[in-house]
Amino acid sequence: MPKTKTNSGSKKRFALTGSGKIKRKHAYHSHILTKKSKKRKRNLDKFTIVDGKNTNMVKSLLALK
């Protein structure tokens, strides 16, 4: 049985925390920033945790068990 390959795009977008959760960046922080408030842009800059419903899909992309 061959090894499963990691999805290269997801490898760059997600990271594991020490407790095993998956970190991700927020969307909507790349362009058209003039109409967004400072508070909104500041909050989009932080990492967040992947929702539990999507965790299994992201783990399969990262070839995690």
Side-chain angles (χ1 to χ4, degrees):
M1 185 88 182
K3 292 182 178 179
T4 56
K5 286 192 175 181
T6 301
N7 184 285
S8 295
S10 61
K11 177 170 55 175
K12 299 166 192 170
R13 287 172 172 83
F14 300 105
L16 280 177
T17 63
S19 61
K21 295 177 183 175
I22 303 171
K23 289 193 305 187
R24 69 170 178 86
K25 291 283 277 184
H26 282 99
Y28 308 111
H29 191 56
S30 58
H31 59 91
I32 312 176
L33 299 173
T34 53
K35 64 175 75 171
K36 296 172 185 153
S37 68
K38 288 182 181 182
K39 180 180 178 182
R40 183 174 168 193
K41 289 186 279 190
R42 187 170 58 244
N43 288 332
L44 287 174
D45 199 34
K46 299 173 184 171
F47 282 91
T48 187
I49 302 297
V50 172
D51 188 56
K53 296 172 187 173
N54 298 321
T55 303
N56 288 336
M57 180 186 64
V58 175
K59 283 187 176 182
S60 69
L61 291 171
L62 294 173
L64 301 172
K65 193 98 177 165

